[in-house]
Every structure is written in C-alpha cells, then in structure tokens.
Amino acid sequence: MTQTHADYQLSQLDQLEAESIHIFREVAAEFEKPVLMFSGGKDSIVMLRLAEKAFHPAKIPFPMLQVDTGFDFPEVLACRDSWVDRLGVRMVVASVDDAIAEGVVVDDGKTSRNRLQIGTLLNAIEKEGFTAAFGGGRRDEEKARAKERVYSHRDEFGQWDPKMQRPELWSLYNGRIHSGEHMRIFPLSNWTELDIWHYIHQEQIEIPSIYFSHQRKVIERDGMLLSASDAVQPKGDEKIETKTVRFRTVGDMTLTGCVESPAATTAEIIDEIAIARVTERGATRGDDRFSEAAMEDRKKEGYF
C-alpha cells in the first residue's frame, strides 16, 4: 500500500511570515523600548497582524505610533481605532498641527504636511525615548527603500546614511546603538505588494474600505486623481468628477491619489496588481514625484 507523507515544505507566505515574526521577537528581546510606526495603511496593518501573531496569546509588548498630518482619510482613522480597540495596544499620536503650534516644525505655507511629518516623528521618538521603530517599508515599493536592510541605523539626529549600512550575513542583525540613536526595523523587507495582498486575503485582515472599489468625487491633477475635500479643491480649469476608484496606498489626502478600478474584493485586487507595471508610490504618491531622489532625500532626514 502506498504511504502518504505530510509535506513539510512551507509556502512562500509562510516563509515570509516566519521571517517577520522572528524579526519582531528579536527586536523585542534586544531593544529596551521599541515602537511600531502605524500609518493605518495595508502594510502597517499587516505588520500589526504579524506582531499580534508573534506574541500571542500575550499582548503586543510595545506601543503604536502614528504621525497625524491633519489630512488623514477618515476611513483610515476608523480602521486604526478598530484595531487599537481590539488589541488593547497603547496608541501614541504625534500631531503635525501640535508640532507646528509648539515650534517643533515650521509651516511656511509651501512645505507639504508629508515632509513636516519628519520633524514631528523625530520629536516623538526622542520625547518617548524609543530605541527601535518598526516601519512597513518594502523593497519593491520605491528605489530608496531597496538600499536599506532589515535594521537601519539612525544617528542622534534621526538621519540615515546609506553608505553606513551594516552587513546582515546569515540574517544576523547588529542592533548596537549609542545614546540618542535609534534603529529603524523593517520586518516586511522581503515582501512585495502582491505578497501583502495575498496575506490579507489569506488571513482575512481588516483594512480601510478605501482600498476597495467605490464611487468617489475626484479631481485630476498632475496625472493623478485626488479625492475632492475641504483640503483639495479645483484649481484653474480643474473640475470635480465622480469616478469608480480605489486607493493602492494611503497617506496625506492632499498628495495621495487613487486609481480607476472595479476591484471590489481582495481576489480582484490580487488579479489587478499581478499585471501592474507601476509601483503604488510611483502611481499615486505626489510627494515622490518631485525628483528621482525624493524618497531617499526624505529618508536621509529621518522619514519613515
């Protein structure tokens, strides 16, 4: 009689999940005061789900940190609050408006709220004394992301020097830091946008509703469809139109565009992303269009 043997080969998603969980546990054991940076987007939500799994049945042993630009999508904030209520995690909110009022950053009327997040974030990390900050960056997301490794050292000014990357041979991480410095940690470094969506589909993870196809009033500007709101109004010959759209990424609503799409389920989104030839940031993030090195310049200053 033929013997049937169990297949112990892990799937690609299982391998990625196991690696990320290992990173979360390693950081929790090594660093005195970690924090999970949380934007409310799909990547940070997947990161939160992985952290939940890493320490289950105990609670996640570190807080979450969100930098509030004042222009976040309401659907994103509602999803954030749902996760916080369910997990019982401490939520630290660093407000750009408060940072402006306290003189931490200067609003000159020209600099975007997205860039003002940098000083706001660094001030929150210093104020709270965080020694490691988990970020949801993926290496397929934008060229500058690919220059960083899982552990990304930041100096006492919160700055990143791409020439000073530490080697990570055999997945051994060097977390040594001096007083005032901190480490950025990227558990999703080896994930792609498609991996993220496959994982969301597999785990049935709650994400903001704006990731799915819906009717929305939009304004076409610089080749992007921006959501019409109090903060985004038509200029010149621009006009407000109603289109069937969804968001591939979420952020400051004044800079984050949506794409026309009928994809209303995770399965349909997976099919759509599988044939996409433009990254989500390249297609829908206005702050990455200023120059070829826009993201890298911001990361050197202390951006996510």
Side-chain angles (χ1 to χ4, degrees):
M1 186 171 68
T2 304
Q3 293 284 336
T4 302
H5 297 280
D7 185 1
Y8 294 105
Q9 182 70 35
L10 294 177
S11 69
Q12 180 190 10
L13 279 185
D14 288 338
Q15 291 180 42
L16 290 171
E17 179 188 70
E19 178 188 50
S20 298
I21 286 175
H22 166 71
I23 292 167
F24 274 110
R25 291 172 176 168
E26 184 78 9
V27 171
E30 184 176 6
F31 290 90
E32 181 180 358
K33 199 171 182 182
V35 67
L36 189 150
M37 295 190 292
F38 188 77
S39 69
K42 64 184 185 308
D43 296 327
S44 60
I45 288 176
V46 164
M47 200 165 55
L48 187 57
R49 173 62 174 153
L50 291 165
E52 179 186 11
K53 281 193 169 188
F55 304 104
H56 181 80
K59 286 187 177 182
I60 296 174
F62 41 76
M64 296 158 55
L65 169 63
Q66 183 196 15
V67 180
D68 182 4
T69 65
F71 294 129
D72 292 314
F73 290 96
E75 297 91 339
V76 174
L77 297 180
C79 188
R80 175 202 69 183
D81 293 342
S82 175
W83 275 90
V84 170
D85 290 343
R86 184 175 69 80
L87 296 179
V89 182
R90 182 168 79 93
M91 184 77 201
V92 178
V93 177
S95 167
V96 172
D97 285 328
D98 290 346
I100 293 171
E102 295 167 6
V104 174
V105 296
V106 177
D107 184 6
D108 58 8
K110 299 177 183 178
T111 305
S112 73
R113 286 296 181 97
N114 193 60
R115 185 171 281 274
L116 293 179
Q117 286 185 88
I118 298 173
T120 308
L121 169 65
L122 295 179
N123 180 65
I125 289 176
E126 181 180 4
K127 186 177 180 180
E128 294 280 344
F130 295 127
T131 54
F134 293 102
R138 307 184 323 267
R139 289 180 184 167
D140 73 323
E141 189 178 356
E142 205 277 339
K143 289 186 288 187
R145 300 282 199 197
K147 291 187 177 182
E148 288 187 286
R149 298 190 174 95
V150 174
Y151 277 33
S152 175
H153 175 263
R154 304 299 171 109
D155 64 19
E156 64 270 26
F157 302 106
Q159 297 175 328
W160 166 63
D161 184 353
K163 296 179 181 179
M164 296 296 289
Q165 286 287 348
R166 299 173 180 181
E168 292 179 350
L169 304 176
W170 305 291
S171 296
L172 296 175
Y173 308 117
N174 181 353
R176 182 178 299 175
I177 56 174
H178 296 100
S179 178
E181 299 176 343
H182 72 277
M183 198 72 73
R184 299 288 173 88
I185 313 293
F186 299 103
L188 304 182
S189 283
N190 292 322
W191 296 59
T192 66
E193 183 183 8
L194 197 55
D195 292 328
I196 292 292
W197 280 109
H198 275 297
Y199 194 71
I200 290 171
H201 180 73
Q202 173 182 287
E203 299 286 311
Q204 293 296 292
I205 296 174
E206 177 190 6
I207 58 174
S209 59
I210 59 175
Y211 277 112
F212 301 100
S213 180
H214 60 283
Q215 292 280 305
R216 180 173 288 264
K217 292 180 179 179
V218 297
I219 299 169
E220 185 171 350
R221 180 176 299 166
D222 298 329
M224 293 194 306
L225 296 176
L226 297 178
S227 179
S229 65
D230 292 341
V232 181
Q233 289 293 309
K235 299 178 181 178
D237 297 332
E238 295 174 348
K239 58 182 180 180
I240 296 177
E241 302 177 277
T242 299
K243 293 181 180 290
T244 302
V245 300
R246 74 174 191 87
F247 287 83
R248 288 181 65 182
T249 183
V250 299
D252 183 332
M253 67 171 65
T254 65
L255 290 170
T256 305
C258 49
V259 295
E260 292 191 73
S261 170
T265 66
T266 51
E268 291 172 350
I269 290 173
I270 288 169
D271 290 340
E272 184 177 271
I273 295 299
I275 60 174
R277 291 296 176 263
V278 181
T279 67
E280 60 197 87
R281 297 193 70 91
T284 63
R285 292 299 287 266
D287 46 325
D288 289 333
R289 295 187 172 196
F290 296 121
S291 73
E292 283 290 320
M295 169 65 84
E296 183 166 334
D297 291 341
R298 294 201 307 280
K299 287 181 75 64
K300 287 178 180 178
E301 296 172 13
Y303 187 70
F304 300 94

